[in-house]
Amino acid sequence: MSENKTKPNDANVMAFLNAVAPERRRVDALRLNEIFREVTGFEPVMWGTSIVGYGSYHYVYKSGREGDFLATGFSPRKTSLTVYIMPGYAEFGDILKRLGKHRTGRSCLYINRLDAVDEDVLRELIAAGLRDLGSRWAVLPR
C-alpha cells in the first residue's frame, strides 16, 4: 500500500508563515495560527511544504490501509486559505450556515479572506471537527 505523501517535518512554522505572500494572506495566516493554537491547545507542525497542522491521529481503514495525518490545520494557498477538518464537514451544516463566505470540499474549507467569516463560528467548527475526529481515532498533540 502507498504511504501518505504529506508527512510532518521539522520545518519552522513561523518562518513559513512569515514568508507567505501577499501581505493580506500572511496576516490572515498568522491570525489562523493564533486561532488554531488557542482552540486545539497544540503547537503547530509543518506537514509537507505548505500545511500547518495541529495534532495528529493514526487511522486504520476497513481496507487495511493505515497511516498518520494531521488532526486539523490550514494552508495559506495562493487562491484561498484552506482549512482542514478531519474527517470532513458532512455533519457540520448548521455551523457552516453561520460561518460566512466560504466553499467546501470533502475535508477542506476554502476562505478567501479571514474577515469574511465569523471567527467565533470558525473556532466552533475547529473544536467540533476535533471532537468528531476524537470520537473515531485517538488525537495526539503531534
Side-chain angles (χ1 to χ4, degrees), residues 92-102 116-125 128:
F92 303 124
D94 290 341
I95 298 173
L96 291 171
K97 287 179 190 174
R98 297 183 284 115
L99 181 61
K101 191 173 180 179
H102 70 278
V117 299
D118 184 316
E119 280 191 19
D120 290 333
V121 176
L122 180 60
R123 290 170 183 276
E124 182 182 344
L125 180 63

Side-chain angles (χ1 to χ4, degrees), residues 2-140:
S2 64
E3 288 188 28
N4 285 336
K5 293 178 184 175
T6 305
K7 295 182 178 187
N9 61 66
D10 293 328
N12 185 298
V13 172
M14 291 310 295
F16 168 73
L17 293 176
N18 284 320
V20 169
E23 182 181 358
R24 175 78 247 161
R25 183 76 70 224
R26 179 174 46 259
V27 169
D28 283 352
L30 290 166
R31 180 68 186 135
L32 272 178
N33 180 49
E34 292 174 9
I35 291 168
F36 273 91
R37 289 177 67 142
E38 290 169 11
V39 172
T40 68
F42 299 145
E43 292 296 317
V45 173
M46 290 300 302
W47 285 71
T49 59
S50 63
I51 298 175
V52 181
Y54 304 82
S56 66
Y57 69 104
H58 182 80
Y59 60 85
V60 180
Y61 295 143
K62 290 178 185 175
S63 66
R65 178 176 167 80
E66 65 180 285
D68 298 295
F69 204 62
L70 60 112
T72 190
F74 73 94
S75 181
R77 306 269 185 212
K78 189 171 224 155
T79 58
S80 63
L81 299 163
T82 304
V83 175
Y84 300 97
I85 301 290
M86 305 302 166
Y89 293 92
E91 312 216 357
F92 303 124
D94 290 341
I95 298 173
L96 291 171
K97 287 179 190 174
R98 297 183 284 115
L99 181 61
K101 191 173 180 179
H102 70 278
R103 299 180 325 278
T104 58
R106 185 163 178 241
S107 294
C108 300
L109 175 77
Y110 303 102
I111 300 169
N112 289 336
R113 294 176 55 107
L114 196 54
D115 63 7
V117 299
D118 184 316
E119 280 191 19
D120 290 333
V121 176
L122 180 60
R123 290 170 183 276
E124 182 182 344
L125 180 63
I126 294 165
L130 214 47
R131 277 192 310 275
D132 182 53
L133 179 64
S135 73
R136 301 164 195 244
W137 313 103
V139 175
L140 305 172

